[in-house]
Amino acid sequence: MKEKRFDRRFSQKGFLHLFSVCFAVLLLVVFAVPVGAEESPKEKYERLKEELAGIEESIEGTRGNMAAAEEMRTQLAREKEVVDEMIRLNQEEIAQTEAALAVKEEEIAQKRQVIYENDQLFQQRLIAIYKMNNANMITQVLAVDSFSELLQAVDALQRISEHDTDLLEMLSQQRAELEAQQAEIDAMLQNLNNVYAELANNAGILANNIAAQDAAISQAEAELAAQQVAYENKEDEVEQARIAYEAMLAATRYMGGSSAGDGSEYVGGVFTWPVPASYRITCHFGSPDPNGNGHLGMDIGAPTGTSIVAAGNGVVITATGHSSYGNYLVIDHGNGVKTLYAHCSSLDVGVGTVVSTGQHIAQVGSTGFSTGPHLHFEVHDGGRQNPINYLKG
């Protein structure tokens, strides 16, 4: 019994010390922060969230640019495939035309030989005609014995003249045909070469454009990688700022500030007993201390290391150390309802952990201002409440 009174007396004394420290901190927060001082945890948290959103927007923009570059590269690659196929077909046509040209050149060579032979024959006939003077021709005509022979002689001379004329015309026509065929093939080959040059130029342009898109894609990938690293780093900063902000809110609420929750519906019902292995209450809520102040929680005595469980479903919003509370954590159950677990030997969950009713969260200890191993358990619901009214049984 004496040990129980000592424990209660010491706990009340510890609470008075805690209250004085908290009140001093409040005064510093409210009155000692000058205008233009370092940003508050809330301001820092909001600023970092905006910066994180900005990085995320930049990432989306970079991804959009990269997607557009990849789409353009795909389109250019398809176009280049078509041009390459056209070049291949053009080269085949050029090869076929060159083969046809070789055949034509062989035909032309043969015709040139024929023309040359006919030309030699024609020259010989001209020489023969030149050597045949008019006197001889007249003598041949006068040497005939009858009119019939005269007609035959005149007809022979006429046929010779007509044959020479025909030969001359044939030679001229053959030369014209050869020149036309040569010009046609040359023009066809020149046209094919022009087409090839244009296609090759287009292929080069497309290749340069593809290379430019490859460079744009590589640059976008590098930018995206850097942005993702920046995003992850900023996420860590935001998480640290959130923890600091929520810790500040929790500390403010326990020092008499607002106890409003996150607006979610409280669905925990009555709480389960936080120390299943022990139901020994060493100090009740409201028990007076030597100064006449009521104890603001309920102490449950248990050996060091005894398991402490979550009284209800919720989220851990504080898990830290304190001069009076020692190692303690706070669970937000929604709608402004929270529970506090103090003097723990170890905290086995961290800030942000979602816990369920009866889940292990810590171990009984005697850290902070404590006379022995026990759990100091508080319930906050618009202010500190008697935990007995919230516990099952």
Side-chain angles (χ1 to χ4, degrees):
M1 187 67 179
K2 181 179 180 181
E3 178 184 353
K4 181 177 180 180
R5 287 197 301 271
F6 180 75
D7 178 74
R8 179 186 307 155
R9 191 164 52 249
F10 190 84
S11 298
Q12 292 169 345
K13 181 179 179 182
F15 174 77
L16 289 174
H17 178 78
L18 171 63
F19 182 81
S20 62
V21 171
C22 291
F23 184 74
V25 172
L26 271 179
L27 290 177
L28 288 174
V29 172
V30 176
F31 299 106
V33 180
V35 177
E38 184 179 357
E39 62 184 350
S40 67
K42 180 180 179 180
E43 292 171 338
K44 182 177 181 180
Y45 179 47
E46 296 297 332
R47 174 179 60 80
L48 290 175
K49 284 200 301 183
E50 291 180 0
E51 292 177 1
L52 185 66
I55 296 176
E56 186 173 7
E57 184 177 353
S58 298
I59 288 176
E60 291 303 318
T62 302
R63 284 176 177 166
N65 293 338
M66 187 165 65
E70 290 174 345
E71 182 178 356
M72 177 61 71
R73 189 196 183 285
T74 301
Q75 179 179 349
L76 291 172
R78 286 197 298 265
E79 292 180 8
K80 188 174 184 300
E81 288 178 359
V82 173
V83 172
D84 289 342
E85 178 63 15
M86 293 174 66
I87 289 175
R88 186 187 67 80
L89 295 175
N90 176 263
Q91 289 175 331
E92 290 182 357
E93 192 171 358
I94 288 175
Q96 293 173 359
T97 303
E98 288 176 343
L101 180 60
V103 173
K104 286 293 183 182
E105 287 178 345
E106 179 65 23
E107 293 177 0
I108 289 172
Q110 293 175 1
K111 288 185 177 182
R112 283 197 181 112
Q113 182 63 29
V114 173
I115 292 173
Y116 174 77
E117 292 174 355
N118 290 332
D119 186 62
Q120 291 296 316
L121 178 60
F122 181 71
Q123 290 179 10
Q124 291 174 5
R125 293 187 66 80
L126 288 178
I127 292 173
I129 293 173
Y130 176 75
K131 289 181 178 180
M132 185 183 294
N133 53 38
N134 292 332
N136 291 334
M137 291 179 64
I138 294 173
T139 301
Q140 292 177 7
V141 172
L142 294 177
V144 297
D145 296 331
S146 65
F147 181 74
S148 175
E149 290 180 354
L150 175 62
L151 292 177
Q152 290 178 356
V154 172
D155 182 63
L157 291 174
Q158 184 177 0
R159 284 198 300 272
I160 292 172
S161 176
E162 290 176 354
H163 176 73
D164 292 338
T165 302
D166 292 340
L167 180 61
L168 183 61
E169 290 180 355
M170 182 184 69
L171 290 174
S172 178
Q173 182 179 357
Q174 288 178 342
R175 288 193 183 97
E177 289 177 355
L178 288 175
E179 290 176 358
Q181 290 178 353
Q182 184 75 50
E184 180 182 356
I185 293 177
D186 288 341
M188 184 184 300
L189 189 60
Q190 182 61 42
N191 181 64
L192 290 173
N193 287 328
N194 291 339
V195 171
Y196 174 80
E198 183 179 357
L199 290 173
N201 182 64
N202 292 338
I205 294 174
L206 288 171
N208 291 335
N209 291 339
I210 290 174
Q213 295 305 316
D214 286 337
I217 292 172
S218 298
Q219 181 180 357
E221 289 175 344
E223 291 178 0
L224 184 60
Q227 289 170 343
Q228 288 174 336
V229 171
Y231 184 84
E232 292 173 359
N233 293 336
K234 189 63 66 176
E235 271 190 323
D236 292 339
E237 291 185 47
V238 170
E239 178 63 14
Q240 294 300 321
R242 183 189 68 80
I243 293 173
Y245 175 47
E246 291 182 350
M248 183 273 293
L249 287 179
T252 302
R253 290 166 186 162
Y254 300 137
M255 289 185 285
S258 172
S259 62
D262 59 4
S264 62
E265 181 181 359
Y266 172 56
V267 294
V270 293
F271 289 136
T272 192
W273 191 261
V275 186
S278 174
Y279 288 84
R280 183 169 59 91
I281 300 176
T282 59
C283 184
H284 286 275
F285 178 82
S287 296
D289 61 14
N291 296 322
N293 297 316
H295 189 53
L296 300 179
M298 181 179 69
D299 293 342
I300 303 173
T304 298
T306 301
S307 176
I308 301 171
V309 301
N313 299 331
V315 179
V316 178
I317 61 172
T318 303
T320 185
H322 190 272
S323 58
S324 296
Y325 282 149
N327 297 326
Y328 81 102
L329 56 83
V330 178
I331 299 176
D332 189 339
H333 302 281
N335 200 29
V337 179
K338 301 175 183 64
T339 53
L340 179 145
Y341 310 76
H343 304 308
C344 304
S345 61
S346 70
L347 304 178
D348 299 330
V349 292
V351 172
T353 302
V354 177
V355 296
S356 58
T357 302
Q359 178 181 335
H360 174 81
I361 57 174
Q363 297 179 28
V364 171
S366 185
T367 57
F369 291 127
S370 173
T371 59
H374 70 281
L375 169 65
H376 176 80
F377 179 66
E378 295 183 8
V379 174
H380 293 249
D381 185 5
R384 290 179 175 85
Q385 305 295 331
N386 187 346
I388 290 294
N389 298 330
Y390 287 77
L391 294 169
K392 294 179 179 179

